[in-house]
Amino acid sequence: MQSTITIPDVQISFPEFRRIQQHILLRQRWWLYALVLGYLLYTTWFADTASSSVLFKAGISTFLIMLMVGVLMFANRVLLKHSFSKIPLYQQPATYTLSESGIALRTPLLQSSSAWHTVHSARKVGDWYFLANKNQQGYLLDSRRIQAPATEADLRALLQHYGIAIL
């Protein structure tokens, strides 16, 4: 295991940010979407509409599904675009240094560090690792930018060494 891992010039694009966030949201709240869709379909098929034909109910069900998916996609994109644009950290390159003392972050506007105990989990989405703290905020690390001689395996080993579950 590499003792210090440096990941320089990390800058996330909006499409990458959206893919990571959507992946996390769908994994955490998929049941909520299924519940809403189930309720809509239940009320369509079993509400007091005995005179409605099966074809009409199928058409209404298809319309409701398409409407729900469209609204969720649009609202999700708007909210994520707003989140992405309001966080200055995403608008500039950042250098992360991971060592025994924790995670150090350096950008042109900010320098900070966090101890390992503040990170409770990590999610891998594509080439990115999202290290989350208790407030569901955290760090976005691009594994493609890990500076040699360290490797992605070293990053995974370091996270596991500090008891951070990789989901």
Side-chain angles (χ1 to χ4, degrees):
M1 178 176 75
Q2 188 78 17
S3 61
T4 300
I5 299 173
T6 303
I7 309 173
D9 300 322
V10 174
Q11 189 167 9
I12 191 165
S13 66
F14 176 68
E16 291 171 314
F17 176 79
R18 185 180 70 225
R19 187 171 10 129
I20 292 167
Q21 295 301 321
Q22 285 177 337
H23 178 79
I24 291 170
L25 283 174
L26 287 175
R27 289 194 67 168
Q28 291 177 345
R29 299 204 177 111
W30 64 269
W31 59 271
L32 183 61
Y33 303 122
L35 188 65
V36 170
L37 183 59
Y39 173 74
L40 291 174
L41 292 176
Y42 175 79
T43 57
T44 300
W45 285 88
F46 300 110
D48 189 22
T49 57
S51 61
S52 299
S53 70
V54 171
L55 186 59
F56 177 76
K57 289 180 181 181
I60 292 292
S61 297
T62 302
F63 173 75
L64 288 174
I65 291 169
M66 290 173 46
L67 181 66
M68 183 177 158
V69 168
V71 166
L72 285 174
M73 287 175 60
F74 178 75
N76 196 7
R77 183 175 176 88
V78 168
L79 290 172
L80 288 175
K81 186 70 171 172
H82 179 71
S83 294
F84 181 79
S85 62
K86 80 174 190 177
I87 299 174
L89 181 60
Y90 299 148
Q91 315 310 317
Q92 54 191 320
T95 298
Y96 295 92
T97 305
L98 292 73
S99 65
E100 292 178 8
S101 59
I103 304 169
L105 166 67
R106 189 178 71 244
T107 71
L109 299 175
L110 171 73
Q111 289 190 23
S112 72
S113 62
S114 297
W116 285 111
H117 68 83
T118 63
V119 178
H120 69 80
S121 67
R123 287 195 186 274
K124 183 170 184 347
V125 180
D127 294 318
W128 291 86
Y129 285 84
F130 174 67
L131 290 107
N133 63 19
K134 292 177 178 84
N135 300 328
Q136 292 302 312
Q137 299 170 341
Y139 301 101
L140 286 166
L141 309 176
D142 186 350
S143 64
R144 298 169 295 191
R145 302 209 51 88
I146 296 174
Q147 199 168 43
T151 64
E152 185 175 351
D154 293 324
L155 173 62
R156 293 179 73 84
L158 185 66
L159 295 174
Q160 290 172 348
H161 176 73
Y162 288 103
I164 299 169
I166 302 172
L167 308 173

